[in-house]
Amino acid sequence: MNIKDAVNCMCDLAKGEAEQFDIIASNSHSEGLSVFQGQVQNTEISDSVGLGIRVIKDGRPGYAHTERLTKDALRQTLKDAVCHTQWTEKIDIDLPSAASIPADSPNYNASLENLDLAQMKDFCIELERATFAKSKEIENIPYLGADKDNDYSVVANSKGLFYESRSNSASAGAGAVACRDGVKKLGNFVKSGRDWSEFSIEEIASRASEYATELFGAKKIEGGKIPVILSERISAQFVGLYCQPFVAEAMQKGMSRLAGKEGEVIANKAFSLWNDPTGESFQHKFYFDSEGCLTKRVKVVDEGVFTSALYNLETASKAGVKTTGNGARSFGSKMSTSFYNLLVPAGDVSTLELLKLFPKCLFVVRLEGSSGCNSVSGELSIGAHGFWCENGQIVHPVDGVTLSGNFFDIIKNIVAVGNEYRSAFSSYKVPALAISELSVSN
């Protein structure tokens, strides 16, 4: 049976087996290819389908899921979920009733369904040729490909709630290796979106070539505590490493330094952090979360003040507050919490103008790895590459330095943010961040 029929069948089976239940089911399809030296290297077509249920029996939750959508499989999945309730702690939640939500499908573009592997192949072969043509220093393009994804999902519960959503997207990109005087550098650029007509071979080739060659001639700089500008190219990556401390579950488990600090100043006034599920600046819109609760804008940090953690129904019940609509769950997982569109509101000046804030500063455009980053303690130790700047001007590239510090100290030292975002399609939008002081070592 299809997803919709399976959800309806599970709803019928679950009635009378538990006081409450909710279901999440999805069907995902993806296809893509990679190209190397003018030939298709490999293709991949994959499908994922499944249904998960959370039952609440005698106040205790139980989870189970299946990837087989037959009545027997659904019946066994329900039995497993009910059995699981004997091992869990009681929770006090009330699942939401159906509410009025917009009938549109903002995350889906029907015309993208016409994109096929043949078109992606032709695009990628031409992209490879164009990238080589951008610079004689490019000697190899080991990473080059395109793909598209399509997802249909349903959230339903024992109160008659039944929400459907569809989404799709495509991406294409190249990773180029350039060589100068025996030194090799890799530059990557990936474009994502829902309108294939907006994918430009010229844009992707130019960016991949630029990023592959921009750090040649790198020089050492003197280490110490110096001003640092995190470019919008990597600022979302930086903030994304430390999302978990703002989630109520992390606080309740003693895994966040922000526990008990709601209402306190935790960052410079220049820094705000929002959960913005239907914000105008985002191409992704989220009207409801994985529990069927309506989403809303949450100013998690507002001009430096920690105003609200993010909650799902379970963590909100423990805290004695209402959910913020941030429940997150796939059909095969338990309930968790996440941002639905993360936004650091833009400032008033461009990234280049931020460079003028300090007589000397390090402008970071790449980060490497995250093994030295800990979201619980906030500790940061990460490799970085960029440019040394003086009097607002780039002087020379800087290669292989390490940034060290603590996230909770760093956000107190953010003195300004830029007004440019890296990608219109990203669900994490963070402009460049000007940090007055950060430890930098060679």
Side-chain angles (χ1 to χ4, degrees):
M1 64 182 78
N2 62 34
I3 285 289
K4 194 170 183 178
D5 290 341
V7 172
N8 284 322
C9 180
M10 180 61 93
C11 286
D12 291 338
L13 292 171
K15 291 175 181 176
E17 293 294 326
E19 302 97 71
Q20 299 184 85
F21 64 83
D22 58 6
I23 299 165
I24 186 163
S26 66
N27 186 353
S28 301
H29 173 82
S30 66
E31 54 188 75
L33 54 81
S34 62
V35 165
F36 183 68
Q37 295 182 346
Q39 301 292 325
V40 174
Q41 188 175 34
N42 60 60
T43 61
E44 182 174 344
I45 300 176
S46 64
D47 290 276
S48 173
V49 60
L51 178 151
I53 185 169
R54 173 177 63 175
V55 301
I56 301 173
K57 186 177 180 64
D58 299 325
R60 302 175 187 273
Y63 292 86
H65 73 277
T66 180
E67 296 179 19
R68 296 178 58 239
L69 302 185
T70 65
K71 193 165 186 178
D72 287 343
L74 296 177
R75 189 179 287 111
Q76 182 62 50
T77 301
L78 175 61
K79 182 179 179 181
D80 292 343
V82 172
C83 181
H84 183 231
T85 62
Q86 65 181 307
W87 308 107
T88 59
E89 296 182 2
K90 286 189 175 183
I91 59 175
D92 181 20
I93 67 171
D94 189 22
L95 296 179
S97 299
S100 177
I101 60 173
D104 61 341
S105 297
N107 304 327
Y108 180 77
N109 179 10
S111 66
L112 190 59
E113 298 305 312
N114 298 322
L115 175 66
D116 57 25
L117 287 172
Q119 289 173 279
M120 288 189 272
K121 179 203 72 172
D122 293 343
F123 183 96
C124 288
I125 289 174
E126 178 60 23
L127 174 60
E128 185 181 52
R129 186 203 65 77
T131 304
F132 272 121
K134 286 296 176 181
S135 172
K136 293 181 179 179
E137 293 180 317
I138 294 177
E139 65 174 25
N140 193 15
I141 306 176
Y143 310 108
L144 192 147
D147 60 62
K148 74 170 185 177
D149 300 285
N150 192 319
D151 180 83
Y152 168 73
S153 62
V154 175
V155 174
N157 70 20
S158 51
K159 290 190 172 182
L161 181 149
F162 196 101
Y163 294 152
E164 301 173 79
S165 65
R166 296 193 70 177
S167 65
N168 61 2
S169 64
S171 64
V177 174
C179 182
R180 182 186 298 175
D181 298 329
V183 177
K184 296 186 179 184
K185 301 287 185 181
L186 172 67
N188 292 288
F189 180 75
V190 177
K191 168 81 173 181
S192 299
R194 290 193 189 90
D195 187 345
W196 187 249
S197 67
E198 295 181 352
F199 280 64
S200 165
I201 289 174
E202 172 66 21
E203 177 190 12
I204 299 172
S206 296
R207 292 287 187 89
S209 173
E210 175 190 349
Y211 295 167
T213 57
E214 65 182 350
L215 295 176
F216 282 131
K219 299 178 181 178
K220 295 288 186 179
I221 60 172
E222 185 176 348
K225 292 186 176 182
I226 60 177
V228 171
I229 309 292
L230 299 181
S231 164
E232 67 274 10
R233 284 167 55 181
I234 52 88
S235 54
Q237 178 186 351
F238 165 72
V239 174
L241 291 171
Y242 298 94
C243 286
Q244 281 304 110
F246 298 100
V247 169
E249 184 177 9
M251 300 177 194
Q252 293 169 356
K253 291 183 176 180
M255 298 177 66
S256 170
R257 284 179 49 178
L258 298 178
K261 292 189 176 182
E262 287 177 281
E264 295 184 15
V265 175
I266 65 164
N268 189 288
K269 188 177 181 179
F271 181 77
S272 294
L273 179 65
W274 296 1
N275 173 75
D276 201 20
T278 60
E280 292 182 359
S281 61
F282 290 94
Q283 294 186 23
H284 305 275
K285 310 292 182 185
F286 302 95
Y287 298 135
F288 54 89
D289 70 1
S290 296
E291 295 180 293
C293 297
L294 299 184
T295 58
K296 63 180 181 180
R297 174 180 287 174
V298 181
K299 295 183 178 181
V300 179
V301 179
D302 188 22
E303 296 184 348
V305 178
F306 178 35
T307 58
S308 176
L310 299 181
Y311 296 89
N312 59 34
L313 285 172
E314 293 186 25
T315 56
S317 176
K318 290 180 181 180
V321 299
K322 293 183 178 180
T323 177
T324 55
N326 289 91
R329 173 185 164 211
S330 68
F331 70 79
S333 69
K334 295 181 180 180
M335 191 58 62
S336 60
T337 314
S338 73
F339 278 84
Y340 284 96
N341 288 340
L342 182 152
L343 176 71
V344 172
D348 298 322
V349 299
S350 69
T351 301
L352 291 179
E353 288 174 313
L354 289 180
L355 303 181
K356 301 176 183 178
L357 292 177
F358 311 106
K360 298 180 180 180
C361 67
L362 176 64
F363 180 42
V364 178
V365 297
R366 297 189 197 179
L367 295 176
E368 286 192 353
S370 60
S371 60
C373 303
N374 187 307
S375 64
V376 178
S377 66
E379 290 305 309
L380 169 78
S381 179
I382 193 167
H385 309 267
F387 301 92
W388 182 248
C389 303
E390 296 182 5
N391 301 315
Q393 301 295 317
I394 291 176
V395 178
H396 62 76
V398 175
D399 205 353
V401 298
T402 299
L403 306 180
S404 303
N406 189 285
F407 173 77
F408 301 103
D409 295 327
I410 293 169
I411 58 177
K412 291 178 180 178
N413 293 332
I414 295 175
V415 296
V417 300
N419 62 6
E420 303 168 58
Y421 296 111
R422 180 185 185 188
S423 169
F425 194 71
S426 176
S427 59
Y428 275 43
K429 290 186 181 293
V430 182
L433 305 174
I435 303 166
S436 61
E437 183 180 272
L438 188 58
S439 292
V440 179
S441 59
N442 290 298

